Amino acid sequence: MKSKVIAVVGPTAVGKSALGVLIAKQMNGEIISGDSMQIYRTMDIGTAKIAQEEAEGIPHHLLDIKDPDEPFSVAEFKERVQLLIDDITNRGKLPIIVGGTGLYIQSVLYDFQFSDQGRDKAVSERLAALLEREGPQSLHERLNKIDPVQAEKIHPNNTRRVIRALEVFETTGMTMTDFHNRQVEEQPYDHVLVGLEMDRDVLYQRINERVDYMVEQGLLQEVSRLYWNGYRDAPAMKAIGYKEFIPYLEGVYDFDYAVALLKRNSRRYAKRQYTYFKNKFDIQWYTIAPSDYQEKFETILSDLAGMRN
């Protein structure tokens, strides 16, 4: 019999964390973070990591498991989550995935297959030499010519992933995007997807307010500490909430511009999240508003009651 899993998804700032805690309390569950950035230690404010008091005693997994300069992949996420689902289920509790990183959650719920197909040491060494000779931008431009979809997703400074994508193409004749598109969507779990959506203007206002709150809570100090501790070029620092402040710290533009840029990037990210979830998942959507959170959450709990053992 398949393990039962609930996933709570939607754009940033819509209220996923609060709903996840409520479901866990009501249904004897534990939460698995479905956010690609909350895995990093010391990156708390900019990733909107749930505070201890907000968790209300509910265990939260996959938080603070990596340093900001450590690599993390979709494949590793999937492997870790599968183990957590087994563990939580075996202890008689309900696994609840809560987050907004669509590809990560999709990889678990539809059992994406990741392998080392295409690994070729000679090719990777040649690409590494090319990187040394021509620099990261040149290598990224090569990737953009063969696989613009992946190139858009990978920052030029994330040379490990750029080389991997080029290596796959050179050894198999297929791009990483081709591999992703050929994934067979299996469903290893008896899962229910709960999606939260909100009027766009209201959501954007909430995002702007969240950024202001992050700044009040010390976001600049968090970014500065990471910057001065040697993480400036770490892939994690390319995330929204961090990358906007590096030029400010280097005197490129002023603080107000950095904050405005963060708000704009966060709004655009929310739009991309919403589009991804709409296109890739079969989701039960609930339209909510700040004024009716309690009522809508009670409706969701009622709808989920059928999953109880």
Side-chain angles (χ1 to χ4, degrees):
M1 189 170 66
K2 293 181 179 180
S3 298
K4 294 178 179 178
V5 177
I6 292 176
V8 179
V9 302
T12 186
V14 78
K16 298 184 296 294
S17 296
L19 177 59
V21 169
L22 191 61
I23 294 172
K25 290 172 66 177
Q26 190 81 13
M27 304 183 70
N28 190 30
E30 296 187 6
I31 291 173
I32 302 170
S33 171
D35 186 290
S36 63
M37 292 306 300
Q38 293 184 356
I39 63 166
Y40 293 111
R41 303 181 189 99
T42 72
M43 300 182 74
D44 302 330
I45 300 172
T47 64
K49 203 174 291 177
I50 191 166
Q52 187 173 353
E53 59 271 19
E54 294 171 330
E56 298 187 38
I58 299 297
H60 281 65
H61 303 277
L62 286 192
L63 301 178
D64 303 323
I65 62 170
K66 295 278 187 177
D67 289 329
D69 58 351
E70 289 185 276
F72 191 69
S73 67
V74 184
E76 182 178 351
F77 174 83
K78 180 196 170 192
E79 181 180 3
R80 283 177 175 266
V81 172
Q82 287 176 325
L83 292 173
L84 283 167
I85 289 173
D86 290 344
D87 175 58
I88 294 168
T89 301
N90 290 338
R91 289 188 282 106
K93 296 197 170 187
L94 176 67
I96 305 162
I97 304 173
V98 178
T101 305
L103 177 61
Y104 279 44
I105 297 171
Q106 191 180 17
S107 74
V108 173
L109 298 183
Y110 298 108
D111 197 25
F112 279 15
Q113 300 302 309
F114 300 96
S115 71
D116 283 336
Q117 182 178 11
R119 277 292 174 198
D120 187 311
K121 187 177 180 182
V123 174
S124 61
E125 288 179 351
R126 178 172 55 77
L127 290 169
L130 196 64
L131 170 66
E132 184 73 23
R133 188 167 63 249
E134 297 185 6
Q137 192 62 45
S138 175
L139 222 59
H140 191 266
E141 289 171 1
R142 284 173 178 257
L143 177 60
N144 189 54
K145 289 178 182 177
I146 63 167
D147 191 352
V149 174
Q150 280 297 305
E152 175 70 21
K153 296 177 181 177
I154 304 173
H155 192 277
N157 289 341
N158 194 344
T159 54
R160 180 183 63 85
R161 288 186 62 197
V162 172
I163 287 175
R164 173 60 179 148
L166 289 169
E167 181 186 350
V168 167
F169 178 73
E170 291 198 18
T171 54
T172 69
M174 293 176 61
T175 66
M176 293 293 283
T177 299
D178 291 334
F179 275 108
H180 290 162
N181 290 339
R182 283 180 53 179
Q183 293 284 6
V184 177
E185 290 193 351
E186 302 289 343
Q187 297 189 25
Y189 304 111
D190 178 11
H191 73 259
V192 174
L193 276 157
V194 176
L196 298 182
E197 59 183 346
M198 184 178 286
D199 175 81
R200 181 169 295 181
D201 290 339
V202 176
L203 179 64
Y204 286 179
Q205 180 60 32
R206 282 176 61 84
I207 289 171
N208 291 341
E209 291 171 356
R210 172 183 271 191
V211 170
D212 289 335
Y213 179 74
M214 287 176 171
V215 171
E216 291 172 10
Q217 293 299 302
L219 177 57
L220 177 59
Q221 290 76 8
E222 181 172 275
V223 179
S224 299
R225 183 176 64 252
L226 289 160
Y227 180 92
W228 294 113
N229 283 342
Y231 292 118
R232 182 201 184 281
D233 295 317
M237 292 290 277
K238 306 300 184 292
I240 296 170
Y242 297 88
K243 65 180 180 180
E244 293 84 3
F245 286 101
I246 291 176
Y248 164 71
L249 292 173
E250 296 176 346
V252 176
Y253 47 63
D254 64 24
F255 179 74
D256 288 342
Y257 183 81
V259 172
L261 197 59
L262 173 52
K263 290 179 178 179
R264 186 202 71 181
N265 289 345
S266 298
R267 294 191 300 268
R268 289 180 175 178
Y269 177 55
K271 184 178 180 181
R272 291 196 303 273
Q273 286 176 298
Y274 186 63
T275 300
Y276 190 94
F277 285 120
K278 283 282 188 179
N279 290 339
K280 302 290 186 179
F281 293 86
D282 181 16
I283 296 175
Q284 174 64 52
W285 288 98
Y286 295 86
T287 302
I288 61 175
S291 60
D292 66 4
Y293 265 105
Q294 184 174 350
E295 179 184 346
K296 285 296 175 68
F297 282 4
E298 288 175 359
T299 298
I300 294 169
L301 288 173
S302 176
D303 290 347
L304 291 173
M307 284 196 66
R308 294 181 195 233
N309 292 326

